[in-house]
Amino acid sequence: MKSHIHVVSFDVPFPADYGGVIDVFYKIQSLVHLGVGVTLHCYQYGRAQSEELERLCDRVYYYPRITGWTSAWNREPYIVYSRRSSQLLSHLLEDEDPILFEGLHTCHFLAHPALASRHRIVRMCNIEHEYYHYLSLGASSLFHKVFFSTESQRLKSFEKILSSAHHILAITPREREYFAEHYPKAQSLWVSGFHGDALVHGLSGRGEYFLFHGNLSVTENRLAVERLLPLAPSFPLPLVVAGRNPSSALTQSIRNTPNVCLEADISGDRMEDLITNAMAHILLTQQPTGLKLKLLNALYLGRYVVANREMVYGTGLEAVVCTVRDDAELITQVQRIASRDFTDTEREHRRTILSPRYDDAYNAELIRQIL
């Protein structure tokens, strides 16, 4: 008998062009390939309805996200209370299929009495109150510091709703331990991030540049680029910064820095080409939370990966990443890597570490087994 599931997404997950929706889209795709029927519910704000999603899923519903001050003044976190469509609840009640809530963002109805008989699963890609705490530390304006700090406190309180879930799908081993300890009524599983890459490719030989990539409008990525710019003139190869929506100030800073170039708002094909042909990926973060899917993309498609400890914290990927503690170690590592070929042996070692726990098909099967 064919399994079916409702997936409640915080955003329209196609195109799969940033971290959160990448995980949602390729999870859906992998479940469908295993014969699971998916009814998809999307909160929509700024992204168009998708024919690709409608082709992939049995049904797709779209709901407006209620943004602005009307959603800010509430005990629930803003990211939750702005996603509270009564139509969603009505559609969920049309059958008895299990429900997968994608993140705390979508959990407004998780503990609703009308869903008490349903099998409820929550995907957690972060310990959200930790993530927002780090956002508050990196915020450049007083308004954003206050907003992120307040949201962190609300998320920590709201997180208790996870006791109403039957399963929690944590994205890293470290976060699985956290949810298992704090919410023992739910079964917590490690289900790694879905990323769409079936094989580790890693071209042999050398590349002609280092690469940093990510959504450049996100505070975390902006801060990483600002940290890299003073170091880049010392790199033995040029640094390419690639991503969406850089601010005018960041664009100007990149253009004024020797040995650095910007590729902004490029196509998916161009980004994949940059990832595949880079000599090394330089990935930095101030937030030791979750699993950055660009890290998996770099490991599956690219050559060497140089990352700070916060980037790999709790992931179990230290064995396939050149980990650095500070800027001096970063410069030393990139200078060493620039003169090394990426070899077949290193690619096979990476495959051994990544497979099967980071493979989409493996992780989709973990979900299918609990339906």
Side-chain angles (χ1 to χ4, degrees):
M1 181 176 177
K2 183 177 179 180
S3 298
H4 292 82
I5 189 171
H6 291 271
V7 176
V8 184
S9 179
F10 51 87
D11 199 352
V12 179
F14 193 85
D17 56 1
Y18 74 88
V21 297
I22 290 172
D23 181 62
V24 177
F25 175 76
Y26 289 110
K27 185 187 302 109
I28 292 170
Q29 185 180 80
S30 299
L31 287 171
V32 170
H33 286 172
L34 288 179
V36 177
V38 174
T39 299
L40 176 62
H41 306 264
C42 307
Y43 281 97
Q44 187 178 12
Y45 55 107
R47 288 165 70 92
Q49 297 185 8
S50 168
E51 292 183 2
E52 174 64 19
L53 294 174
E54 291 158 12
R55 181 194 64 78
L56 190 63
C57 302
D58 292 351
R59 287 172 293 176
V60 182
Y61 297 107
Y62 300 93
Y63 314 96
R65 185 181 176 195
I66 309 168
T67 57
W69 292 108
T70 57
S71 294
W73 300 110
N74 192 270
R75 290 184 178 182
E76 279 192 352
Y78 179 78
I79 63 171
V80 178
Y81 196 61
S82 59
R83 297 174 172 92
R84 59 183 193 275
S85 173
S86 58
Q87 284 187 309
L88 167 64
L89 183 61
S90 296
H91 288 142
L92 292 176
L93 291 172
E94 290 175 354
D95 54 48
E96 292 297 317
D97 292 340
I99 307 166
L100 171 57
F101 296 90
E102 290 287 350
L104 277 182
H105 310 57
T106 65
C107 286
H108 178 76
F109 294 113
L110 175 62
H112 197 283
L115 299 178
S117 65
R118 304 289 285 281
H119 187 171
R120 286 154 287 163
I121 307 163
V122 180
R123 168 51 144 182
M124 294 298 293
C125 289
N126 278 304
I127 300 171
E128 290 292 348
H129 65 85
E130 289 186 356
Y131 178 75
Y132 274 81
H133 169 69
Y134 285 106
L135 285 179
S136 71
L137 296 180
S140 57
S141 72
L142 179 60
F143 171 80
H144 285 105
K145 282 184 181 294
V146 172
F147 173 77
F148 290 138
S149 179
T150 302
E151 193 76 346
S152 175
Q153 294 168 26
R154 288 176 176 172
L155 284 162
K156 188 171 184 177
S157 177
F158 182 76
E159 188 185 81
K160 297 179 180 66
I161 201 171
L162 292 177
S163 294
S164 297
H166 296 92
H167 290 86
I168 300 171
L169 310 181
I171 202 167
T172 68
R174 176 247 173 178
E175 297 192 357
R176 191 211 69 80
E177 292 177 4
Y178 169 89
F179 292 118
E181 177 183 351
H182 287 79
Y183 306 102
K185 291 183 179 179
Q187 182 180 358
S188 295
L189 305 174
W190 172 30
V191 177
S192 187
F194 290 79
H195 49 85
D197 299 310
L199 296 173
V200 175
H201 296 288
L203 295 178
S204 299
R206 303 182 189 182
E208 298 180 349
Y209 56 90
F210 299 126
L211 178 67
F212 176 91
H213 72 284
N215 185 339
L216 300 177
S217 67
V218 173
T219 299
E220 178 183 7
N221 292 327
R222 175 183 58 80
L223 292 173
V225 174
E226 290 174 351
R227 177 178 170 183
L228 283 173
L229 290 182
L231 308 178
S234 302
F235 291 174
L237 296 172
L239 173 66
V240 176
V241 176
R244 297 189 302 152
N245 302 323
S247 66
S248 56
L250 185 62
T251 298
Q252 193 61 45
S253 294
I254 293 171
R255 289 175 178 170
N256 290 341
T257 304
N259 208 33
V260 184
C261 68
L262 173 65
E263 296 225 13
D265 302 314
I266 56 179
S267 68
D269 288 342
R270 176 57 179 160
M271 181 64 82
E272 184 172 323
D273 180 68
L274 286 172
I275 293 171
T276 301
N277 289 291
M279 183 65 211
H281 299 264
I282 302 176
L283 301 178
L284 304 176
T285 183
Q286 293 183 329
Q287 302 184 11
T289 60
L291 173 66
K292 311 300 188 285
L293 290 181
K294 62 185 176 182
L295 173 60
L296 286 182
N297 288 145
L299 289 170
Y300 272 81
L301 293 177
R303 294 187 177 99
Y304 293 106
V305 176
V306 180
N308 64 344
R309 289 182 171 185
E310 290 81 1
M311 178 64 69
V312 296
Y313 177 69
T315 66
L317 292 171
E318 293 83 355
V320 287
V321 174
C322 301
T323 308
V324 300
R325 290 175 294 185
D326 52 36
D327 293 348
E329 282 194 4
L330 174 59
I331 292 173
T332 299
Q333 281 283 16
V334 297
Q335 290 174 340
R336 181 180 63 85
I337 285 172
S339 59
R340 288 178 53 185
D341 286 345
F342 189 80
T343 66
D344 294 346
T345 300
E346 286 165 312
R347 182 170 55 251
E348 290 307 312
H349 171 66
R350 187 179 290 180
R351 284 176 177 167
T352 300
I353 298 297
L354 294 175
S355 183
R357 285 310 307 246
Y358 291 89
D359 294 344
D360 283 2
Y362 176 90
N363 286 293
E365 178 61 23
L366 292 178
I367 298 173
R368 191 188 68 81
Q369 287 177 9
I370 68 174
L371 295 182

